[in-house]
Amino acid sequence: MAYDYFISTNDSNDKIKIPKWISERDDRMESYKSAGEVDYQGNFTGDELIQLANDYAEIWGDAMNSFHADLQNKGLAYIKNAETDQFTLSAIYWSSDAY
């Protein structure tokens, strides 16, 4: 199974793609059905998300490729520039249908 991860403000439909800062199986994430697939979401504060992002960066360090580093930076900028401290982190299932 493959998931894409996004953060959004609770009062906005805007989503920013982020690296896998947290597992969809984490206790803070709740499952729900969407288009026949199981997706996950959880509510977090900005400080919690920044800590998850920092943990991710610490684990990957120099091994983080430029694509993930770009997502990391955009996600952190989104959090820091938001007019709220409440965010939704979503793990959305996708399938490439490539076998």
Side-chain angles (χ1 to χ4, degrees), residues 45-60:
T45 65
D47 287 344
E48 289 173 315
L49 290 177
I50 290 170
Q51 184 61 52
L52 290 171
N54 289 340
D55 292 346
Y56 175 87
E58 188 174 312
I59 290 168
W60 288 99

Side-chain angles (χ1 to χ4, degrees), residues 3-98:
Y3 287 87
D4 282 333
Y5 297 83
F6 301 90
I7 54 174
S8 60
T9 57
N10 291 339
D11 60 341
S12 172
N13 288 329
D14 293 339
K15 287 192 273 191
I16 298 294
K17 188 172 182 176
I18 59 169
K20 185 178 180 177
W21 289 348
I22 188 172
S23 170
E24 68 277 359
R25 303 286 185 199
D26 188 281
D27 290 342
R28 294 171 282 184
M29 301 289 280
E30 295 183 17
S31 64
Y32 66 96
K33 284 253 184 180
S34 177
E37 302 294 345
V38 177
D39 294 335
Y40 297 86
Q41 69 180 22
N43 295 316
F44 296 85
T45 65
D47 287 344
E48 289 173 315
L49 290 177
I50 290 170
Q51 184 61 52
L52 290 171
N54 289 340
D55 292 346
Y56 175 87
E58 188 174 312
I59 290 168
W60 288 99
D62 293 336
M64 191 185 317
N65 65 33
S66 61
F67 174 76
H68 289 102
D70 186 49
L71 293 179
Q72 178 86 346
N73 292 333
K74 286 180 181 177
L76 288 170
Y78 180 79
I79 294 165
K80 291 176 182 174
N81 293 321
E83 294 181 7
T84 183
D85 190 46
Q86 299 298 310
F87 299 88
T88 299
L89 191 152
S90 304
I92 308 297
Y93 179 79
W94 67 270
S95 172
S96 67
D97 291 332

